[in-house]
Amino acid sequence: SRQGKKISLRGRTIKVSNEDIRGEGQFDLELGGGPGQMDMQFAFFDGNGKQIARYLPAGILRPKTYDWLVMALQDGFVPEGQLLFKGNFRDFPFRNGEGVFITRFTARDVLLKYGKGWPAIEGLSGEVEFRNNSMNIVANGGRIYDSRIEGGEVSIKDLFAARLLIDARARGPMANVFSFLSDSPLGVGKEQILNDLEARGNSKLTLGIDIPLSNKLAPEVHVNGHLDMAGGSIRFKKQDLLFNDLAGQLKFTEKSAHADDLTASFDRVPVNVNAHTQTDGHINVLVEGVLPATSIVRYLEPHIQKHFAGESLWLASLTIPPMGKAGHGYPHLSLQSDLVGTSSTLPSPLFKEQEVAWPIQVGLYLGRDELQQVSIDLKNRLSTQVELAASGGAAIKRADIRLGSARAALP
């Protein structure tokens, strides 16, 4: 109908369909004599997730937000959904509640590429809702690698100053967590240590990611999460150092990691593990336990190993450098003990009784593919610097051994 400049259109039981989707609904539309307004309700079915870009309101979204939606929401199937629009066109997208715009649908088998350089979420299922100027996805299934997503939420509170918030809970092989770190921006600068790690067993990951999508926001990505372990293992492959029965929680952000009172076993001996990030960005992992002498001298020749017996309290300190720092960039492992409880029947000056304290410190870098340097300092008794080939059975390339208080130095 028409009254002066005002045109009113009414549609009832409207049915539409194409190769992407089909739907039905009704609308009341008023044009002319003002900004125009509409009251529309539609139900839609059998949507093709690959074609979502065709139906996004590109004209009103910020370019960066629109580009993210096109990149992120790929593939998938929409069995059913609803659309509601009520209000003046001038006020859309109703940031202050002047009207109502809701698109709500069920999604299955969605491929969500939420951020450049981040591992995608595959097979995502859940409920998707666009409400006025916001987006929210409540996930009830999906996977990252072989880890199953047990629940989570992906949201943008304001599509016009967009900040993507991801909260997810996943359960699966602990190796997937290290793959996630390696394949995401979190692994930049940590390639050496991540490639040297081998994880087994299952874990539960709780992860929060904050990614700015608007040029109005600072570009930094923020990450906050924790990894719950119960019985898995981690091995440093090059050094064949294996920690079994890992239990506890590791907390991390995009800049730091820390863990208090993790438990594990090394050579079937219980040890305690703590990890913290220092103010300069170095991550320091402390492992403490009473270890038998056989565990410490395992890499020595058998005819030397037989001279050691007993057990002592050892403290291992693994220092992982931050990314972007100058220098070698390799994690450093330091071992310390007073050797009380360990005996040696080697000839003097290396003969030792169990109750006597002999402070010792051993140091080496992990993850190197080239020559490896190992230092041993047995206070006032022995100082050693050894250079080993990292491959080929750890053959000695160079060495300097000093008895007494003199310090060794490689020639």
Side-chain angles (χ1 to χ4, degrees), residues 163-177:
R163 180 182 295 279
L164 174 67
L165 303 176
I166 300 175
D167 291 292
R169 301 178 301 280
R171 188 186 299 271
M174 187 160 52
N176 286 347
V177 177

Side-chain angles (χ1 to χ4, degrees), residues 93-389:
F94 313 130
R95 299 180 71 175
N96 298 312
E98 305 92 337
V100 177
F101 167 70
I102 299 175
T103 299
R104 183 186 297 120
F105 56 90
T106 300
R108 297 176 185 168
D109 297 322
V110 174
L111 175 62
L112 182 65
K113 294 185 176 181
Y114 52 89
K116 185 177 181 180
W118 293 85
I121 298 176
E122 300 179 90
L124 180 69
S125 61
E127 301 297 319
V128 182
E129 180 180 273
F130 289 85
R131 178 182 290 268
N132 294 346
N133 62 317
S134 67
M135 182 203 76
N136 194 63
I137 302 173
V138 178
N140 53 37
R143 65 186 183 278
I144 300 179
Y145 305 116
D146 296 326
S147 293
R148 178 170 50 87
I149 294 176
E150 297 184 327
E153 189 171 356
V154 180
S155 63
I156 299 177
K157 303 301 182 184
D158 186 349
L159 289 166
F160 296 86
R163 180 182 295 279
L164 174 67
L165 303 176
I166 300 175
D167 291 292
R169 301 178 301 280
R171 188 186 299 271
M174 187 160 52
N176 286 347
V177 177
F178 293 102
S179 295
F180 180 88
L181 294 175
S182 296
D183 296 341
S184 75
L186 297 175
V188 175
K190 298 293 187 294
E191 292 85 358
Q192 292 286 346
I193 184 65
L194 289 173
N195 291 337
D196 191 43
L197 291 176
E198 180 181 82
R200 296 182 181 274
N202 292 322
S203 63
K204 182 178 180 180
L205 176 66
T206 301
L207 180 65
I209 306 176
D210 181 339
I211 303 176
L213 302 178
S214 171
N215 293 326
K216 296 180 179 180
L217 304 174
E220 291 83 5
V221 174
H222 298 289
V223 177
N224 187 19
H226 59 263
L227 177 68
D228 292 291
M229 300 168 284
S233 68
I234 291 179
R235 183 171 74 94
F236 293 90
K237 293 182 288 188
K238 288 187 174 66
Q239 288 69 34
D240 195 25
L241 298 175
L242 176 63
F243 292 90
N244 285 312
D245 306 317
L246 280 164
Q249 186 178 88
L250 172 68
K251 298 180 180 180
F252 60 90
T253 69
E254 75 280 3
K255 296 181 179 179
S256 66
H258 69 274
D260 294 313
D261 299 323
L262 295 179
T263 59
S265 63
F266 177 74
D267 266 9
R268 298 183 296 277
V269 176
V271 295
N272 295 320
V273 182
N274 292 274
H276 297 279
T277 300
Q278 302 171 2
T279 55
D280 61 1
H282 284 75
I283 298 175
N284 193 29
V285 182
L286 298 176
V287 181
E288 186 177 48
V290 177
L291 299 177
T294 52
S295 296
I296 303 301
V297 300
R298 58 196 293 186
Y299 299 109
L300 299 178
E301 296 294 331
H303 69 277
I304 298 178
Q305 292 184 31
K306 67 181 182 181
H307 289 279
F308 294 91
E311 60 184 21
S312 299
L313 178 64
W314 283 83
L315 176 64
S317 176
L318 175 64
T319 302
I320 304 173
M323 66 180 183
K325 295 289 184 180
H328 52 76
Y330 294 101
H332 181 263
L333 177 64
S334 175
L335 305 171
Q336 300 178 58
S337 176
D338 61 9
L339 292 182
V340 172
T342 296
S343 65
S344 167
T345 58
L346 288 170
S348 180
L350 298 180
F351 176 85
K352 179 187 178 299
E353 296 179 343
Q354 282 188 336
E355 65 274 12
V356 179
W358 279 18
I360 186 174
Q361 183 165 331
V362 181
L364 69 157
Y365 290 103
L366 301 179
R368 300 181 66 171
D369 293 324
E370 60 272 15
L371 296 177
Q372 173 72 278
Q373 291 186 3
V374 181
S375 65
I376 302 175
D377 185 14
L378 188 58
K379 189 174 181 181
N380 297 326
R381 289 175 175 83
L382 174 71
S383 178
T384 302
Q385 291 278 347
V386 180
E387 189 173 71
L388 305 173

Side-chain angles (χ1 to χ4, degrees), residues 27-56:
F27 70 88
D28 291 288
L29 175 65
E30 293 185 1
L31 299 173
Q37 63 182 13
M38 182 170 64
D39 184 351
M40 178 174 66
Q41 303 93 40
F42 252 81
F44 49 90
F45 312 91
D46 303 329
N48 182 357
K50 290 183 179 180
Q51 304 300 331
I52 191 170
R54 295 182 180 181
Y55 304 96
L56 294 173

